[in-house]
Amino acid sequence: MSTIVKDPHHIKETLDLLGIKPVNHGASTGSNWLKGQGAPIDSISPVDGSLVGSVIAASESDYHQTVAQAQQAFQAWRTWPAPKRGEVVRQLAVRLRELKEPLGKLVSFEMGKSLQEGAGEVQEMIDICDFAVGLSRQLYGLTMHSERPGHRMYEQYHPLGVVGIISAFNFPVAVWSWNTALAWVCGDTCIWKPSEKAPLSAIACQHIVGSVFEQNQVPEGVSCLLIGGKELGESLSHDASIPLVSATGSTAMGKAVAAAVGARLGKALLELGGNNAIIISKDADLKTALTGAVFGAVGTAGQRCTTTRRLIVHEEIFEQFKAELQNAYRQIKIGNPLDESNHMGPLIDQQAVEGYLEAIEKVKQQGGIEVVPGGVLEGAEYESGCYVKPAVYEVENDYQVVQCETFAPILYLIKYRSIKQAIDIQNSVPQGLSSAIMTNNLRESELFLSHQGSDCGIANVNIGTSGAEIGGAFGGEKETGGGRESGSDAWKIYMRRQTNTINYSSELPLAQGIKFDL
């Protein structure tokens, strides 16, 4: 690509394989790309500061054309038998397996996560497609006994309609797939508004989906893409023709989406901020605890919603664990994420770096004790200016900066005395996404998982906060938004529920024994 001056990792070959051009259109209804007149968006890699490619953002007319096409496609798509829809998703999983390496590489280069994590994100896409294929034959309702003789009651689920999906930069493809794979087998059509910080990964996905859908004669408009700024998200949120909006991002963004969708009595699926903690008991396997804590804190450079941001450590092992943590941090290799010997890559952009530095300044002002110093890395290897050192501070949980989510590799150490105190500390933040306890004490682990324990949507024992399998429902409580995506019965939000009663008798008995004789 002429816009890339340096190409040491053969990114041009990857882009060519995925259908990415120097300048791309940011609106699509499937295999049809709309040539709108929106403002250009440049995708700048935080790996080396190079221009990966440009996107012409979707315009207002693109938005209206896309919504109309998605509505029209829904009328046909919902008539396809669910297993037939599942077969299309199965073929998509096959294609994703074939393109796992280049798509994972693009995700890594555009977003800045490690090559292994980029490939892992594509694997999540494959896994949710596999899950959805099985689900396409299991969209079960229930049968109930009626109180009236000669009556049968049951409930069933119907496709909902057009689903709007707003995704964040940190998982530029996986979270979209969590929604679309399920929504498609349920019979819905989807409009995706990805982060403008990682637009080319979304365009690559749309090319892949478009080719599979075209081969299967899927109606144009089942998979739609709109790339642009927050105004597109606002349009999706206010649009009464879109019954469900799934939004992943900050709590502030989620509150705006929830207010707009709620005002029109639509449905919002929210996956918002996390302020995740690991409780490390004096009865923990400290080797396991250390590995889980370090990966949870520095993986994806602290830019996961499930990143470990707080370590709540028992006072008897506090100093020992702090010393082991300092030693582990000295071994972390920071650099180009396409080099698999590195543990941590860059933050997404300069705005993220500024937020990281502001948080460090705040924690120092509020009384935090430096355990592992932070700072921005300099030198030729870090020329994008987005590489930072993972930092650790000893704090109190009630510090204002600790109560907030900073999307960066900053870890807070907090001391506790009793397990009940540790759980109170864990729960005493506005967010409620992921949590964990490291312990070999059965009573502690069971208390942590009980109704008196973690108030988060995810609670783990002897594994960290970061990462989740697609088989379980993913999401959190409080300011995390209350949504659930991916596995278990998360599919139900993409459908509308209907209760049916059939009278096969020759009488018309009323419920609750009411008499109405004519």
Side-chain angles (χ1 to χ4, degrees):
M1 185 186 298
S2 59
T3 52
I4 297 179
V5 177
K6 295 176 291 183
D7 192 17
H9 298 284
H10 307 288
I11 295 299
K12 183 181 183 302
E13 295 177 14
T14 299
L15 299 177
D16 289 343
L17 189 59
L18 295 170
I20 305 298
K21 303 174 183 177
V23 179
N24 304 266
H25 294 291
S28 169
T29 56
S31 57
N32 181 34
W33 292 82
L34 310 181
K35 298 180 180 180
Q37 300 298 318
I41 297 173
D42 289 337
S43 176
I44 306 296
S45 171
V47 173
D48 58 10
S50 66
L51 176 66
V52 190
S54 297
V55 179
I56 300 172
S59 63
E60 184 178 355
S61 63
D62 292 331
Y63 174 84
H64 293 297
Q65 185 177 343
T66 300
V67 172
Q69 188 66 57
Q71 289 176 313
Q72 181 181 336
F74 173 64
Q75 302 304 315
W77 182 238
R78 66 180 178 178
T79 68
W80 286 40
K84 185 178 179 181
R85 297 191 294 256
E87 167 58 20
V88 177
V89 174
R90 185 195 68 79
Q91 292 180 36
L92 175 59
V94 172
R95 187 65 178 139
L96 287 171
R97 284 180 171 90
E98 295 169 352
L99 294 172
K100 179 178 177 178
E101 182 178 352
L103 182 56
K105 189 174 185 178
L106 174 59
V107 167
S108 297
F109 189 67
E110 186 173 38
M111 184 266 155
K113 62 175 58 177
S114 74
L115 200 58
Q116 290 184 354
E117 290 184 81
E121 186 166 346
V122 181
Q123 186 61 50
E124 283 192 50
M125 301 174 73
I126 295 166
D127 292 344
I128 194 63
C129 285
D130 288 349
F131 179 89
V133 173
L135 180 65
S136 68
R137 294 181 183 271
Q138 302 179 74
L139 302 173
Y140 300 139
L142 294 173
T143 299
M144 291 79 73
H145 288 278
S146 173
E147 67 182 59
R148 291 168 285 183
H151 284 59
R152 180 167 67 88
M153 292 180 64
Y154 72 96
E155 65 181 21
Q156 60 181 329
Y157 290 83
H158 296 297
L160 194 61
V162 181
V163 174
I165 302 166
I166 302 170
S167 64
F169 74 86
N170 60 328
F171 281 86
V173 296
V175 174
W176 161 76
S177 71
W178 290 1
N179 286 272
T180 52
L182 301 190
W184 285 334
V185 298
C186 288
D188 301 322
T189 59
C190 298
I191 300 175
W192 181 20
K193 189 274 175 198
S195 169
E196 61 270 36
K197 294 183 179 183
L200 298 182
S201 295
I203 288 173
C205 288
Q206 186 70 353
H207 279 301
I208 295 168
V209 172
S211 64
V212 173
F213 279 21
E214 191 173 23
Q215 290 169 4
N216 287 273
Q217 298 181 315
V218 172
E220 187 77 15
V222 171
S223 176
C224 298
L225 176 68
L226 290 169
I227 293 176
K230 67 177 184 178
E231 68 279 355
L232 287 175
E234 292 171 351
S235 295
L236 288 170
S237 300
H238 287 91
D239 195 333
S241 68
I242 298 175
L244 170 65
V245 176
S246 172
T248 303
S250 68
T251 296
M253 180 276 287
K255 288 180 177 179
V257 170
V261 175
R264 60 177 175 83
L265 298 182
K267 297 168 71 175
L269 195 172
L270 302 175
E271 297 291 353
L272 310 175
N275 195 347
N276 317 294
I278 301 177
I279 296 171
I280 301 179
S281 164
K282 64 180 179 179
D283 296 322
D285 179 326
L286 295 189
K287 182 179 179 181
T288 299
L290 186 66
T291 301
V294 175
F295 175 73
V298 308
T300 325
Q303 297 173 114
R304 291 185 178 214
C305 52
T306 55
T307 289
T308 303
R309 309 211 179 275
R310 297 175 295 146
L311 286 186
I312 305 167
V313 186
H314 194 277
E315 60 181 5
E316 290 185 18
I317 60 167
F318 188 85
E319 293 301 327
Q320 175 191 351
F321 195 81
K322 181 169 69 173
E324 292 185 10
L325 196 65
Q326 288 171 317
N327 182 57
Y329 267 57
R330 282 192 287 268
Q331 299 174 49
I332 294 172
K333 296 179 181 178
I334 307 166
N336 190 321
L338 300 187
D339 181 346
E340 296 190 58
S341 67
N342 290 322
H343 298 105
M344 194 179 101
L347 294 177
I348 184 66
D349 55 20
Q350 287 299 318
Q351 183 180 0
V353 174
E354 291 169 8
Y356 159 86
L357 292 173
E358 288 172 7
I360 286 178
E361 187 61 31
K362 286 179 182 178
V363 73
K364 289 178 179 178
Q365 291 174 356
Q366 291 168 25
I369 301 171
E370 187 175 84
V371 176
V372 177
V376 180
L377 292 167
E378 298 178 349
E381 186 181 356
Y382 311 114
E383 60 185 320
S384 69
C386 297
Y387 292 85
V388 301
K389 300 176 185 177
V392 183
Y393 290 88
E394 187 177 337
V395 300
E396 297 295 331
N397 195 63
D398 60 359
Y399 290 0
Q400 186 273 334
V401 68
V402 177
Q403 291 284 308
C404 299
E405 178 189 46
T406 300
F407 228 50
I410 302 175
L411 181 64
Y412 300 122
L413 290 184
I414 304 164
K415 191 181 298 183
Y416 81 91
R417 188 168 289 177
S418 71
I419 184 61
K420 290 186 178 180
Q421 181 193 23
I423 292 172
D424 286 343
I425 292 170
Q426 138 71 36
N427 293 342
S428 295
V429 292
Q431 309 83 1
L433 179 53
S434 186
S435 60
I437 186 170
M438 297 289 185
T439 184
N440 289 324
N441 184 314
L442 179 64
R443 290 178 177 174
E444 287 185 337
S445 63
E446 290 298 322
L447 180 65
F448 180 74
L449 298 177
S450 75
H451 64 276
Q452 303 174 68
S454 170
D455 64 0
C456 294
I458 299 170
N460 298 327
V461 175
N462 292 330
I463 60 172
T465 63
S466 187
E469 296 181 34
I470 60 91
F474 180 89
E477 301 301 320
K478 301 188 293 187
E479 287 194 358
T480 302
R484 293 297 185 275
E485 294 173 327
S486 193
S488 186
D489 64 350
W491 62 271
K492 291 180 179 179
I493 197 169
Y494 304 98
M495 304 194 83
R496 59 182 177 88
R497 188 171 184 164
Q498 185 181 79
T499 301
N500 308 110
T501 306
I502 300 170
N503 178 7
Y504 58 91
S505 74
S506 58
E507 304 294 330
L508 187 61
L510 301 178
Q512 294 86 45
I514 294 173
K515 301 295 183 182
F516 187 76
D517 297 324
L518 292 177

